[in-house]
Amino acid sequence: MNVVSEFENLIKLLVLGDVSVGKSNFLFRFIEDKFLDNHLPTVGFDYKSQIITLPDKSVVKLQIWDTVGEEKFMSINQSLLAKVHGVILIYDITDQTSFE
């Protein structure tokens, strides 16, 4: 079976948040079910994907994009925003400024 026919829809999600709030660890935990103690900062962007079955039995491929949180890379984030179906906002609950 080829990869395209394994899922009915592709859903692209973008993970946004300040530097060092845990965006990459959130993604790694969701896809791999592991937590990384020592993770290098994301350079540019990265993505992981997983095929899931929804409650209505439809099969979708989730493509989740992890972005760098630095201001100088906002143009990359904005170009990715035009092509996504949803956004996951990540912030550090111990740092109010990461929420603001």
Side-chain angles (χ1 to χ4, degrees):
M1 180 187 272
N2 83 31
V3 175
V4 175
S5 64
E6 290 180 9
F7 58 91
E8 299 167 29
N9 290 305
L10 174 66
I11 298 174
K12 294 182 182 180
L13 301 174
L14 183 62
V15 179
L16 294 176
D18 277 352
V19 176
S20 299
V21 293
K23 297 179 300 291
S24 297
N25 262 318
F26 166 80
L27 182 58
F28 196 73
R29 178 69 175 206
F30 181 76
I31 300 296
E32 304 287 335
D33 197 23
K34 295 179 183 172
F35 182 80
L36 300 174
D37 286 333
N38 299 321
H39 187 272
L40 296 174
T42 303
V43 177
F45 56 88
D46 186 19
Y47 80 92
K48 296 193 181 299
S49 59
Q50 182 171 348
I51 295 175
I52 62 169
T53 303
L54 299 176
D56 69 357
K57 305 298 183 213
S58 60
V59 179
V60 298
K61 181 176 184 179
L62 283 180
Q63 193 177 74
I64 306 174
W65 291 77
D66 178 17
T67 62
V68 65
E70 293 182 50
E71 185 74 30
K72 65 184 176 183
F73 293 106
M74 285 308 291
S75 62
I76 293 171
N77 293 348
Q78 289 176 358
S79 65
L80 288 173
L81 273 172
K83 302 172 185 171
V84 299
H85 298 97
V87 175
I88 301 168
L89 298 175
I90 304 288
Y91 63 93
D92 181 350
I93 62 170
T94 65
D95 181 5
Q96 178 71 26
T97 59
S98 74
F99 179 75
E100 296 168 357

